[in-house]
Amino acid sequence: LALTLRKTLSALTTFLTFYVAGWAVFELLVHFLRRSQAEPGVADTISNVSRWAILGFGALAALGALGADLATLAWIGTGLSVGIGFGLQELFGNFVSGILLAFERSVRPGDVIETGGQRGTVRQIGMRSTLIRTSDNVEVFVPNKELLTKPVMAYTYSDRTSKVRFSVGVDYASDLDRVRQLLVE
């Protein structure tokens, strides 16, 4: 691989072109998806994945412009991806799960859910984890993989009304009709 000023400028120009294209596509998709009233999580996921795909192609094109043998880079990338894959398996699993949650919409912002003993309102679905705010105003980050592989009780999935059950204790001598009337009021 012999580097020349011409190859270096060509690679830099190529990468910058893809960088600007990635930024433009990101902005256009965010604008278009938000105007079409797509959920913010879905819009962000589609826009980010598109931008990173374009940047990845730009990096490969820039390496090709430098004269790098892309077949050799593919073998190196394969070896690295296997090694990194074992090390970052959970992180990658949560990332893919976040994309699936955004597209599948089995859990949406505003839903009241319970998972792993935590009950609360889904505030945000991120790329790695989902933010849930409990009734005690505590924010819990749940790994996205957990929402796809473990049971999730969805209280507001098909009906936005959520019911709350609570016990009331009264004296045995109490007038039950009066107690019921007070509770309804």
Side-chain angles (χ1 to χ4, degrees):
L1 177 68
L3 288 180
T4 63
L5 183 59
R6 183 178 194 168
K7 284 183 179 180
T8 305
L9 288 176
S10 176
L12 187 60
T13 303
T14 301
F15 183 75
L16 287 176
T17 302
F18 275 89
Y19 181 81
V20 170
W23 172 79
V25 167
F26 175 81
E27 292 296 327
L28 285 170
L29 283 174
V30 166
H31 180 73
F32 173 74
L33 291 171
R34 293 231 171 115
R35 281 185 60 131
S36 65
Q37 298 178 347
E39 286 190 22
V42 173
D44 290 343
T45 300
I46 291 172
S47 303
N48 279 322
V49 168
S50 300
R51 176 176 52 181
W52 285 106
I54 291 170
L55 285 176
F57 286 126
L60 287 176
L63 287 171
L66 281 175
D69 182 17
L70 295 182
T72 304
L73 288 177
W75 282 106
I76 293 170
T78 301
L80 284 174
S81 65
V82 168
I84 291 171
F86 284 120
L88 300 175
Q89 187 175 7
E90 283 297 314
L91 184 65
F92 186 71
N94 284 319
F95 175 74
V96 171
S97 297
I99 293 172
L100 289 174
L101 284 172
F103 285 112
E104 188 180 69
R105 299 182 52 186
S106 56
V107 175
R108 302 172 302 242
D111 282 351
V112 177
I113 65 168
E114 182 175 334
T115 182
Q118 297 289 331
R119 179 180 177 166
T121 304
V122 175
R123 305 295 295 170
Q124 177 185 7
I125 298 174
M127 295 303 272
R128 188 191 65 77
S129 63
T130 297
L131 178 63
I132 298 173
R133 180 172 286 156
T134 67
S135 59
D136 298 330
N137 206 28
V138 174
E139 293 179 330
V140 179
F141 292 93
V142 178
N144 288 333
K145 190 175 170 186
E146 231 177 82
L147 295 175
L148 288 178
T149 59
K150 296 197 175 157
V152 175
M153 292 177 56
Y155 293 95
T156 57
Y157 180 70
S158 59
D159 182 7
R160 300 309 286 176
T161 306
S162 180
K163 297 179 176 102
V164 178
R165 181 186 308 179
F166 60 94
S167 300
V168 176
V170 295
D171 191 302
Y172 286 114
S174 300
D175 179 7
L176 295 182
D177 291 329
R178 177 73 177 136
V179 169
R180 187 176 297 115
Q181 177 188 1
L182 289 172
L183 287 172
V184 169
E185 290 175 6

